[in-house]
Amino acid sequence: MTSRSSSALRKQAAQRKSAAVKTTAKSATRNKAGKLPEWNLADLYSGIDAPEVGRDLQKMDADCVAFEADYMGKLAQHVAREDGGVWLAEAVRRYEAIDDLAGRLGSYAGLIHAGDNVDPAISKFYGDVSERLTAASTHLLFFALELNRIDDAVIERAMQAPELGHYRPWIEDLRKDKPYQLEDRVEQLFHEKSQSGYAAWNRLFDQTISGLRFRIGGKELAIEPALNLLQDRAGEKRRAAAQALAKTFKDNARTFALITNTLAKDKEISDRWRGFHDVADSRHLSNRVEREVVDALVGSVRAAYPRLSHRYYALKAGWFKKKKLAHWDRNAPLPFAATGTIAWPDARNMVLTAYRGFSAEMADIAERFFNDRWIDAPVRPGKAPGAFSHPTTPSAHPYVLMNYQGKPRDVMTLAHELGHGVHQVLAASNGALMAPTPLTLAETASVFGEMLTFKRLLSQTKSARQRQALLAGKVEDMINTVVRQVAFYSFERAVHSERKNGELTAQRIGEIWRGVQSESLGPAIDIRPGYENFWMYIPHFIHSPFYVYAYAFGDCLVNSLYAVYENASEGFAERYLAMLAAGGTRHYSELLKPFGLDARDPKFWDGGLSVISGMIDELEAMG
């Protein structure tokens, strides 16, 4: 199915930034950052053995079978009737209720698994629930297919009924997939084989990454604390971490190369059958963004490499009194940056204060994540690396996963994920079918949350040196969000394009990686041996191909959006929250009109990038 054809499956997809974590009765973890919260997943289910899980799986099975019996083969005939709109609206409501239940089951299984990828019982539970949901939802495949075969004029007439008109955004969105749909039996085959196909390879990647250990300083570290050492103050620790990461990645290169080749081939087969011409067209369709807009974004960013990343890293090398920085020093703390760990209560206060300065409603929603235990913050063995906010389903609420270690960047990650969380809470009122937001706009909310927090911290910092450190940290984050993600996109395009001609060795993939990284980072970053293996741990390449440009889209968009806010803040917060509350009911271009922004204008992206270059100008002036 294409991305909008079954939102129950979409909730399990990695466009949700992976998904998941383990709930336990253990006390919250303590470290230098203070007492860290572990989330309470009981709002979904009390445990993997809870009787409600079995009950809901049975209900899911029964509801899907009944839905197929009641509607399969009948849509065209009934929708053409005078009361066709009312009849179809009832069918869509039933479909949406099933989707919500599937979202609850799939979200819980995904979250519990992200919390512990290596526990055999949890892995079995995750696999079993995924298989049950796939099997049950096979009975729903006909619905979108039949709906899209109905003549446009007939559907339009049916949507004049208010009951069906409510679902107009979802129906119109669904019909954009029409040119890429296949015959029913082929769709069913693709759907059922997903469990033994790309879903299985995704799971293998997750379990492999979580199980890796990196020997650094006499200790065996999991991937998250190992990556965190690349931001350590001690240069020797950064170098040791980079070398350990490279060694372990190299030792597992055959596995990661096989996963990457298999998933690229799987996607090529699917794209070919569906009629997508470009390797990224299916992602553009699911994002509801035109290829030309993405091409303009990518072209603008690549053209800006010299005045963004190249210039900044030359500055940073100078601060370290070097001509070049080794690749493991790219994210090194600045020599003049404040030391120490930011305690969790301070991080919470920083973000909520920034949010409240913008909108009391926004802060109130974000505060619920802390008060109601919707956040899982500690680093744990077997826990998924990185961070995400998973919307679960409208009848529940989102959950945030992160690996908090007290770094300034962790505070920005908290602000980022809570931006997603606020967005997901506001959009939930649209229901299970229309709450999901395309990735391009989804990243706008998260990056805007980061910008609010950064601006608040900057305004409160009096020390010139600390202002410089804060500004440099923000520039680094923006380069990681814009330049690095566009380089990732270029890397994916090259891998998927070359895969059409045969398998790529791990060495060849590494060569492509080095090439795009060298182009994006510039001459001030010295790429040492071992860095060619660092493509192996990026989950987005596996879970959601071509996801990454959404970050650059969101960052550039937020730069323009924030400029509107600073120049005309009257009523801005209300318009902004209304944009988030729209969920997936309106196209991004329509949502941006109240702010006077048009992403289809080629100059739009240059405006967003000029904000970053302006900050680098300021840093150069500081010396």
Side-chain angles (χ1 to χ4, degrees), residues 261-468:
N261 274 288
T262 302
L263 287 172
K265 183 62 178 179
D266 182 85
K267 186 178 186 303
E268 185 271 325
I269 293 169
S270 179
D271 284 355
R272 177 160 38 84
W273 274 73
R274 294 190 182 285
F276 290 112
H277 297 295
D278 184 78
V279 291
D281 275 353
S282 59
R283 174 61 62 195
H284 301 334
L285 179 67
S286 68
N287 282 348
R288 299 310 187 234
V289 64
E290 299 77 16
R291 187 200 302 175
E292 300 75 35
V293 171
V294 177
D295 289 347
L297 163 66
V298 172
S300 294
V301 173
R302 292 183 70 177
Y305 285 170
R307 68 178 189 272
L308 299 180
S309 48
H310 296 189
R311 189 160 59 116
Y312 174 75
Y313 290 129
L315 255 182
K316 186 168 184 175
W319 292 330
F320 280 86
K321 303 187 185 312
K322 296 179 179 180
K323 288 187 176 181
K324 289 186 175 186
L325 292 173
H327 68 260
W328 52 74
D329 292 330
R330 183 174 60 85
N331 287 322
L334 299 178
F336 45 82
T339 59
T341 298
I342 300 170
W344 178 256
D346 295 331
R348 167 183 171 149
N349 185 57
M350 288 176 189
V351 176
L352 290 182
T353 301
Y355 276 29
R356 197 165 297 282
F358 175 73
S359 162
E361 181 184 359
M362 188 170 173
D364 288 344
I365 295 171
E367 194 164 16
R368 291 195 65 192
F369 282 77
F370 298 96
N371 295 341
D372 297 344
R373 295 179 59 199
W374 297 355
I375 303 176
D376 193 271
V379 177
R380 290 192 303 270
K383 180 177 176 178
F388 62 74
S389 179
H390 185 24
T392 72
T393 195
S395 63
H397 56 76
Y399 283 98
V400 164
L401 174 142
M402 61 183 303
N403 288 270
Y404 189 82
Q405 299 180 74
K407 305 285 186 184
R409 188 165 276 122
D410 293 336
V411 179
M412 290 300 162
T413 297
L414 179 62
H416 180 104
E417 299 307 337
L418 286 175
H420 279 307
V422 169
H423 191 181
Q424 290 157 358
V425 168
L426 288 169
S429 61
N430 295 294
L433 299 182
M434 295 184 291
T437 307
L439 295 176
T440 40
L441 273 179
E443 290 304 333
T444 300
S446 53
V447 176
F448 194 84
E450 280 189 75
M451 182 65 87
L452 287 172
T453 304
F454 164 71
K455 290 286 189 178
R456 179 79 182 188
L457 293 176
L458 192 66
S459 69
Q460 294 178 332
T461 303
K462 306 305 178 188
S463 160
R465 267 310 201 191
Q466 290 314 307
R467 281 182 61 84
Q468 185 179 9

Side-chain angles (χ1 to χ4, degrees), residues 30 37 74 89 176 188 212 231 267 285 346 459 519 582:
R30 284 185 177 275
K74 301 173 184 176
K176 291 174 182 175
Q188 184 177 343
L212 293 182
Q231 300 174 44
K267 186 178 186 303
L285 179 67
D346 295 331
S459 69
E519 177 198 17

Side-chain angles (χ1 to χ4, degrees), residues 125-201:
F125 175 77
Y126 174 66
D128 289 348
V129 170
S130 298
E131 285 185 13
R132 286 284 293 274
L133 289 176
T134 300
S137 57
T138 300
H139 297 285
L140 306 179
L141 285 175
F142 77 91
F143 191 59
L145 299 172
E146 284 193 30
L147 198 56
N148 276 351
R149 291 193 191 107
I150 297 172
D151 186 76
D152 288 346
V154 174
I155 281 287
E156 182 57 43
R157 186 168 62 248
M159 285 194 292
Q160 299 310 304
E163 295 90 341
L164 188 61
H166 168 74
Y167 292 103
R168 176 184 288 274
W170 178 75
I171 292 171
E172 290 182 344
D173 218 18
L174 190 70
R175 290 175 79 80
K176 291 174 182 175
D177 294 330
K178 186 176 180 178
Y180 309 101
Q181 286 182 180
L182 303 171
E183 185 269 325
D184 290 18
R185 293 278 290 172
V186 178
E187 290 286 3
Q188 184 177 343
L189 178 64
F190 271 39
H191 184 67
E192 290 193 29
K193 284 188 71 66
S194 67
Q195 282 300 302
S196 57
Y198 66 83
W201 291 97

Side-chain angles (χ1 to χ4, degrees), residues 75-253:
L75 265 61
Q77 171 191 349
H78 283 78
V79 173
R81 297 184 331 198
E82 187 174 341
D83 63 345
V86 176
W87 181 89
L88 183 56
E90 174 59 25
V92 176
R93 276 194 294 271
R94 283 179 60 180
Y95 183 85
E96 185 173 40
I98 293 171
D99 184 84
D100 191 273
L101 181 61
R104 179 176 290 269
L105 287 160
S107 296
Y108 180 71
L111 290 170
I112 204 98
H113 186 247
D116 192 339
N117 284 326
V118 296
D119 184 300
I122 289 175
S123 292
K124 174 177 167 50
F125 175 77
Y126 174 66
D128 289 348
V129 170
S130 298
E131 285 185 13
R132 286 284 293 274
L133 289 176
T134 300
S137 57
T138 300
H139 297 285
L140 306 179
L141 285 175
F142 77 91
F143 191 59
L145 299 172
E146 284 193 30
L147 198 56
N148 276 351
R149 291 193 191 107
I150 297 172
D151 186 76
D152 288 346
V154 174
I155 281 287
E156 182 57 43
R157 186 168 62 248
M159 285 194 292
Q160 299 310 304
E163 295 90 341
L164 188 61
H166 168 74
Y167 292 103
R168 176 184 288 274
W170 178 75
I171 292 171
E172 290 182 344
D173 218 18
L174 190 70
R175 290 175 79 80
K176 291 174 182 175
D177 294 330
K178 186 176 180 178
Y180 309 101
Q181 286 182 180
L182 303 171
E183 185 269 325
D184 290 18
R185 293 278 290 172
V186 178
E187 290 286 3
Q188 184 177 343
L189 178 64
F190 271 39
H191 184 67
E192 290 193 29
K193 284 188 71 66
S194 67
Q195 282 300 302
S196 57
Y198 66 83
W201 291 97
N202 273 245
R203 185 174 163 190
L204 175 61
F205 173 85
D206 289 343
Q207 293 179 353
T208 303
I209 280 288
S210 295
L212 293 182
R213 292 296 178 265
F214 306 88
R215 189 164 185 79
I216 306 170
K219 296 181 179 178
E220 296 286 334
L221 300 181
I223 189 165
E224 197 66 37
L227 289 170
N228 190 58
L229 284 175
L230 295 176
Q231 300 174 44
D232 197 273
R233 283 201 162 273
E236 279 303 306
K237 287 187 180 179
R238 296 194 298 270
R239 182 166 67 90
Q243 290 174 344
L245 285 160
K247 180 184 184 304
T248 301
F249 290 152
K250 184 177 181 180
D251 291 344
N252 290 271

